[in-house]
Amino acid sequence: MNVKKPALGLKALLAFLLFFLLLLPGGIRMAGAAAAEGIGPVFVIPVNQEIERGLENILERGFREAEQSKAGLIILEINTPGGRVDTAERIGELIKSSSIPTVAYINGNAASAGAYIALNADKIAMAPGSMIGAAALVDRTGTLVDDPKSVAAWKSIMASAAQAGGRNASIAEGMVDVNLEVNMPEIGKVKEKGQIISLTSEEALKMGYADRIASSPGEVASWMGFANNDIFQVDKSPAEQFAEFLTHPWMQVLLLFIGIAGIVIELLVPGFGVPGILGILAFGLYFFGNYVAGFAGYETWVLFIVGLVLLALELFVPSFGILGLLGSVSLVAGVVRAAYDTANALLSLGIAFAAAAIVVAIVAVAFKERGVWNKFVLKENLTADKGYSSVTNKERLLGMQGTSLTPLRPAGTALIGDERVDVVTEGGFIESNKSVTVIKVEGGRVVVKELF
């Protein structure tokens, strides 16, 4: 009996292993079938604006919501002119680090940094008539950047993204470098020096820079094996939409103008209340919009508030301009740091300041009697009707007699009553110790003549 039990256990173990091996292929086939069927919702995240920090925040939220919802696919619907390279690189890392498959669906233009974002996706689909490429580095004026190091670095980044997706790296380099010559026999073209590669949807498909031409995100989802009845569109939240409105360049200028004019008017011509409230509200909206968009941090608020306090102190505390200078620097630093682009922020601030200076000057003239400067200016008039006189009143001497103490040639000194007085004659000469009488008083001028 003791010999047979191990034999039975061995047979049971072999039967279990055989059963497991038989089931294993079926289990693998079942998992593959589930993947092919596309389990999980499809998240469509728009990339339809300039690439900057605000877009990065929206994508981060979209990817986070997709993971929480156990999405099976993320479609990035791209139509952008490009934008900041550093932001595009961070978005690229976000895409590559996601555990959810991603498809870049170019429904318009994937230009410049937009092309880089597309190249980081697992697959690329393009709508008819769309474009990918034109990724040359340009400055804020649209002029090509003539810096070999910067161009080489960006070209390398684009090429790496293309290679990671199994695409021809030289095409990506030709999208960046105007000095490259690239042969593209698949579409019968040669990129010559001075040109930049941009591919249509049909050209991109032939060049391997697109995997599919599709007319809608739903068609992309079907191509990837997902049903069209479980597609979730990630829209901008009301706060993000409001922030996008507030961070428009001209709206930024308007908010800065109202903020500067309102607060300065309230400081210089106090008593209204409304300009100060509007100024604080405008600056609050300026910082709120940039904060929600991801441009500004709490430090920008601190810099701005410190600047306002220092400027207010300058009006009442003599500091020889030091407090005013420090306050101005702090205020400008807060405003500029809150914006996503320093040059644009300085331009907006300059325009707003110039316009505000004109309005403040008009208000100061119109309400000069209420100005804060009146506290530091002596306004009391020392007039005669208030008992003041700039000269001694000598009209009381008119008609009085006296004696010349000095020769009058024609000016000299005379004793009128018991007072020594500076006098003049009408032009004649009077010796000293002569009797005289006052015949005219003109302000401080006393005219005498000799008595015979």
Side-chain angles (χ1 to χ4, degrees):
M1 293 291 295
N2 292 334
V3 177
K4 292 181 179 181
K5 284 182 180 179
L8 290 173
L10 181 60
K11 289 180 180 179
L13 179 60
L14 291 174
F16 174 76
L17 289 175
L18 180 61
F19 177 74
F20 177 77
L21 290 173
L22 288 173
L23 284 179
L24 184 59
I28 294 174
R29 285 193 298 271
M30 288 175 64
E37 291 172 0
I39 297 176
V42 176
F43 270 59
V44 179
I45 306 176
V47 184
N48 56 1
Q49 65 184 70
E50 187 175 345
I51 297 169
E52 32 78 9
R53 187 68 180 91
L55 174 63
E56 184 181 353
N57 285 348
I58 295 172
L59 288 174
E60 287 175 348
R61 178 174 62 83
F63 272 77
R64 184 169 57 252
E65 292 178 358
E67 292 176 357
Q68 293 171 352
S69 301
K70 300 187 182 326
L73 179 68
I74 293 176
I75 299 176
L76 300 175
E77 190 170 6
I78 300 174
N79 183 18
T80 175
R84 296 182 64 96
V85 171
D86 54 350
T87 303
E89 289 187 68
R90 291 194 297 270
I91 293 175
E93 289 300 321
L94 174 67
I95 296 171
K96 289 186 291 185
S97 62
S98 175
S99 59
I100 303 172
T102 57
V103 176
Y105 175 53
I106 302 172
N107 189 12
N109 295 327
S112 191
Y116 175 76
I117 292 176
L119 289 174
N120 280 280
D122 297 313
K123 292 185 179 296
I124 298 176
M126 298 180 68
S130 57
M131 180 277 292
I132 182 172
L137 284 178
V138 295
D139 59 19
R140 297 179 184 89
T141 64
T143 305
L144 286 174
V145 173
D146 188 18
D147 180 10
K149 290 184 178 179
S150 299
V151 173
W154 178 229
K155 182 169 64 174
S156 175
I157 291 171
M158 284 284 291
S160 297
Q163 286 178 329
R167 310 182 195 280
N168 186 349
S170 63
I171 302 299
E173 292 176 342
M175 293 179 177
V176 176
D177 194 345
V178 296
N179 295 316
L180 282 182
E181 292 183 358
V182 181
N183 186 23
M184 298 179 285
E186 296 88 345
I187 58 175
K189 289 185 178 180
V190 175
K191 176 206 170 298
E192 300 178 350
K193 288 185 178 181
Q195 297 177 337
I196 289 293
I197 294 178
S198 61
L199 303 174
T200 65
S201 55
E202 295 291 343
E203 291 173 338
L205 188 63
K206 294 177 181 178
M207 296 297 303
Y209 269 66
D211 303 297
R212 179 85 173 191
I213 294 180
S215 58
S216 67
E219 188 176 335
V220 174
S222 298
W223 166 54
M224 294 295 293
F226 288 82
N228 285 339
N229 58 359
D230 200 10
I231 296 178
F232 181 80
Q233 180 77 32
V234 178
D235 295 319
K236 295 176 183 176
S237 67
E240 289 168 342
Q241 292 176 350
F242 189 43
E244 184 178 2
F245 169 73
L246 293 176
T247 53
H248 188 279
W250 284 112
M251 179 56 65
Q252 296 274 279
V253 172
L254 179 61
L255 291 175
L256 290 173
F257 161 70
I258 296 175
I260 295 171
I263 289 179
V264 172
I265 289 173
E266 192 63 41
L267 290 175
L268 295 181
V269 190
F272 290 106
V274 175
I277 294 173
L278 289 178
I280 293 173
L281 180 62
F283 274 122
L285 290 174
Y286 174 86
F287 284 100
F288 171 78
N290 286 290
Y291 177 76
V292 172
F295 307 147
Y298 289 112
E299 76 282 356
T300 60
W301 290 87
V302 174
L303 286 170
F304 178 75
I305 293 173
V306 169
L308 285 182
V309 171
L310 292 176
L311 287 176
L313 288 176
E314 177 63 28
L315 296 175
F316 306 100
V317 179
S319 67
F320 305 101
I322 296 176
L323 290 176
L325 178 61
L326 292 176
S328 299
V329 171
S330 180
L331 189 148
V332 171
V335 169
V336 171
R337 282 183 59 84
Y340 86 94
D341 185 89
T342 301
N344 287 340
L346 289 173
L347 178 61
S348 299
L349 186 60
I351 296 173
F353 183 83
I358 296 173
V359 172
V360 170
I362 294 173
V363 172
V365 172
F367 299 94
K368 58 184 178 182
E369 298 300 326
R370 303 179 62 171
V372 71
W373 51 82
N374 291 318
K375 296 181 179 180
F376 311 105
V377 177
L378 180 62
K379 300 181 64 178
E380 185 69 26
N381 294 322
L382 306 180
T383 57
D385 61 332
K386 294 183 179 180
Y388 297 98
S389 178
S390 59
V391 295
T392 303
N393 189 348
K394 296 183 179 181
E395 291 183 358
R396 58 184 172 76
L397 300 177
L398 185 63
M400 293 181 65
Q401 296 180 358
T403 304
S404 59
L405 297 178
T406 64
L408 306 180
R409 300 191 179 93
T413 304
L415 181 64
I416 308 296
D418 58 355
E419 181 181 354
R420 292 172 63 93
V421 181
D422 294 328
V423 298
V424 296
T425 69
E426 291 182 302
F429 172 76
I430 301 177
E431 295 179 356
S432 60
N433 297 318
K434 297 291 183 178
S435 296
V436 295
T437 182
V438 179
I439 61 173
K440 187 186 300 183
V441 176
E442 297 175 338
R445 184 171 178 265
V446 179
V447 183
V448 298
K449 72 174 183 178
E450 186 176 358
L451 289 174
F452 297 99

